[in-house]
Amino acid sequence: MAQASGAYLVGDYAGALLHAERAAAAGEARGATLAGHIKLHGLDGEPDDAAAVRWFTRAAERGEPDALIALSRLAQAERGGLSAWQAGDYLDRAAQTGDARAALEYGLYLMESGDPARASDTLDWLRLSAESGYAQAYSEYAIALDQWVHGPHDPARALDWYERGGLAGDPHAALQAGLLYLSGEAGAQDRAHGAELVEMAAEMNLPAAMGQTALLYFQGEGVPADPARAVSWAQAGARAGDAESQFLLAYALATGEGAAVNRRDAYLWVLRAGQPGQGSLAEDSDRAQLEAALERVLDPAVAAQVREQAILTAAEF
């Protein structure tokens, strides 16, 4: 198997396949799995789903979790002669091996199935994956505990897993943990720590977290008030397409809080904050009031130019 892995790593896929087949013939399940991946992706020529399924099935018979996961994905896509109904069985078998990745995959599969009768099983598999230290499971388990329609809706239990997910590099989990600490909704209010987690998410380039961080520095919540730093985060989030950041930047440019007054640019950003799209503030009353106030002080010709610019550049966001 070492020869197969070595050949694969240097791009000698024909050699890797030869050695993988020999390893499989000697009873090495990982050899059959590697042969299946080579056939599935056509690394030795044309992709061959049927051949991949044969090799994965051979490995699966020996309880190889990666092969079982591959078979489940092929079944869900109804490739290689497999049917969608087989996917759950493959994942069940994979999870039963104790593999953390398989436990996560099976938990997510059950969650997506939406069967309330399997809610307890779903949470158990996600929990087992997370508790085994599989970082990708941290935030998924937190979401299931907190937000899943068939879950317990228990932010207090979810908070620790959100935080672990954030520390493992998931910006969405870091943001959610931060917001829970800030609000105290999970019963453990800690504004300073919450602000730290929200800014961590912003530093991971999550646009929504940039807007939240800007707001915290404007308001001095959990951090010392720092309008200049708030504007810096608002600029980053605005350029990344976050509507909240765009509104905050417009506010700063209109009022001079943390930035030099520039009502033309403020009008541009407040218009962009109201453009259709995910997170749009089109119906937000504060945004509408700022837009109207800027229209009153701008020269009508300038306002018309800015409106045209906002429309023409909408695709950038």
Side-chain angles (χ1 to χ4, degrees):
M1 190 60 205
Q3 289 177 298
S5 298
Y8 186 90
L9 288 173
V10 300
D12 177 12
Y13 300 120
L17 180 61
L18 176 64
H19 290 301
E21 289 174 340
R22 288 176 177 173
E28 176 59 75
R30 291 182 302 156
T33 299
L34 180 57
H37 280 296
I38 290 171
K39 288 296 184 182
L40 179 65
H41 299 292
L43 299 178
D44 66 329
E46 293 296 318
D48 187 338
D49 287 357
V53 167
R54 288 195 297 272
W55 282 114
F56 287 140
T57 299
R58 187 166 176 174
E61 288 169 351
R62 294 181 175 271
E64 216 283 295
D66 285 343
L68 286 159
I69 291 171
L71 286 169
S72 76
R73 292 178 177 176
L74 287 166
Q76 289 180 70
E78 299 194 324
R79 292 171 56 185
L82 300 177
S83 300
W85 62 266
Q86 295 174 279
D89 179 63
Y90 285 130
L91 285 176
D92 188 3
R93 290 166 57 191
Q96 295 291 348
T97 68
D99 183 82
R101 176 184 167 219
L104 172 61
E105 295 259 351
Y106 191 34
L108 293 176
Y109 174 84
L110 292 173
M111 183 185 290
E112 188 175 346
S113 74
D115 182 357
R118 302 297 304 275
S120 178
D121 289 342
T122 301
L123 292 169
D124 282 345
W125 285 117
L126 294 176
R127 175 182 55 79
L128 286 170
S129 182
E131 289 180 348
S132 73
Y134 190 58
Q136 294 179 32
Y138 297 162
S139 55
E140 298 292 356
Y141 183 42
I143 290 169
L145 289 170
D146 181 25
Q147 302 176 35
W148 185 38
V149 64
H150 300 306
H153 300 283
D154 190 342
R157 287 173 61 192
L159 177 57
D160 179 59
W161 293 107
Y162 276 131
E163 186 167 1
R164 292 192 199 192
L167 294 173
D170 183 339
H172 296 277
L175 174 59
Q176 190 61 31
L179 294 176
L180 286 173
Y181 274 116
L182 284 162
S183 69
E185 182 184 350
Q189 189 171 45
D190 185 336
R191 289 188 174 91
H193 188 46
E196 180 183 8
L197 288 166
V198 171
E199 189 162 10
M200 177 195 298
E203 289 168 349
M204 292 185 217
N205 296 317
L206 181 63
M210 295 173 185
Q212 289 294 327
T213 302
L215 185 60
L216 292 175
Y217 279 108
F218 271 129
Q219 296 178 337
E221 184 176 1
V223 292
D226 188 337
R229 191 164 183 175
V231 169
S232 177
W233 277 118
Q235 287 173 329
R239 290 167 182 156
D242 176 60
E244 180 71 22
S245 298
Q246 291 167 348
F247 169 69
L248 291 172
L249 180 56
Y251 171 82
L253 293 169
T255 63
E257 186 174 350
V261 172
N262 186 328
R263 293 191 174 95
R264 184 191 186 285
D265 284 356
Y267 187 49
L268 177 63
W269 285 113
V270 82
L271 289 174
R272 285 175 172 167
Q275 287 171 337
Q278 186 174 2
S280 171
L281 297 180
E283 303 302 321
D284 183 84
S285 60
D286 290 338
R287 190 210 65 81
Q289 288 175 13
L290 180 58
E291 178 183 339
L294 288 166
E295 283 180 351
R296 287 194 295 271
V297 298
L298 284 174
D299 180 273
V302 172
Q305 291 174 354
V306 174
R307 284 194 292 271
E308 182 178 358
Q309 182 183 355
I311 294 170
L312 292 174
T313 58
E316 296 178 11
F317 303 99

